[in-house]
Amino acid sequence: MEFDLTWLGTFEISIFGIRKNVILSISGSEEGDFTNDQIEAYSNFLKEKQRFITEAEDGLYSYYQSVCMDYRERFGKGTDDALAPLISDKSQFGDLVSLTHVVIRMFPRNKRIVGLLFDSRWETSLGVAVKFKNENLSEVGFQDIVLYSLLR
């Protein structure tokens, strides 16, 4: 791992049946220290990784189903099937998103946040994210739900 106010490393994970290395990003203090909540968030994520992944898969699939028709209308005929295809099963979802980062940011005490950031075929500019707060799925949406969590 290397440090420049954020510890960066790689992390192997499997989601939607695709195993890959992603960036692990843990923000630190200017001295490079982590908070106890960050350490606990990371430890809990590792211990319960499969539960986190299953909940992220379910949350992303549900979120996509709720926004798919809006995106299809925006894209119009011809590109709608390529960028926002109709899918009927979570197993078809792996081609639509690509996990890029596991993020653990510094937060006020007793707030453990783990975020999963994805590139997505239907939302190329803002990407999508899954946010876990205190080990519970709390939100699925644009990546800013994780990147700007201190404001939320």
Side-chain angles (χ1 to χ4, degrees), residues 56 59-64 66-67 71 97 115-120 122-123 125-132 137-147 152:
L60 278 167
Y61 178 73
S62 178
Y63 174 77
Y64 180 73
S66 74
V67 300
Y71 278 95
V97 295
L116 306 179
L117 305 181
F118 296 82
D119 288 337
S120 82
W122 74 91
E123 183 51 72
S125 58
L126 299 174
V128 293
V130 177
K131 178 179 172 181
F132 292 89
L137 178 68
S138 66
E139 199 170 356
V140 178
F142 300 130
Q143 289 183 359
D144 66 345
I145 65 171
V146 171
L147 298 176
R152 303 172 67 80

Side-chain angles (χ1 to χ4, degrees), residues 17-142:
I18 299 168
R19 186 174 228 29
K20 63 184 291 185
N21 285 322
V22 299
I23 295 170
L24 172 62
S25 173
I26 306 174
S27 60
S29 68
E30 289 185 15
E31 295 79 31
D33 297 326
F34 302 127
T35 66
N36 288 336
D37 288 331
Q38 285 177 291
I39 294 167
E40 189 176 346
Y42 179 70
S43 295
N44 290 340
F45 179 76
L46 288 181
K47 279 189 258 180
E48 298 185 61
K49 186 168 51 171
Q50 191 53 53
R51 179 185 64 82
F52 277 82
I53 295 304
T54 299
E55 289 182 18
E57 290 173 340
D58 292 344
L60 278 167
Y61 178 73
S62 178
Y63 174 77
Y64 180 73
Q65 293 301 322
S66 74
V67 300
C68 177
M69 294 311 289
D70 290 338
Y71 278 95
R72 290 177 63 81
E73 283 180 27
R74 281 187 235 164
F75 296 139
K77 295 268 187 241
T79 57
D80 57 348
D81 284 334
L83 299 174
L86 296 173
I87 60 173
S88 58
D89 188 276
K90 188 171 67 168
S91 66
Q92 299 168 301
F93 201 70
D95 291 337
L96 297 179
V97 295
S98 177
L99 179 63
T100 61
H101 292 76
V102 174
V103 177
I104 301 173
R105 309 269 314 264
M106 280 190 139
F107 295 100
R109 289 183 49 81
N110 300 318
K111 199 173 189 185
R112 297 177 309 278
I113 305 290
V114 174
L116 306 179
L117 305 181
F118 296 82
D119 288 337
S120 82
R121 201 180 324 167
W122 74 91
E123 183 51 72
T124 58
S125 58
L126 299 174
V128 293
V130 177
K131 178 179 172 181
F132 292 89
K133 185 188 293 184
N134 297 335
E135 293 75 48
N136 295 302
L137 178 68
S138 66
E139 199 170 356
V140 178
F142 300 130

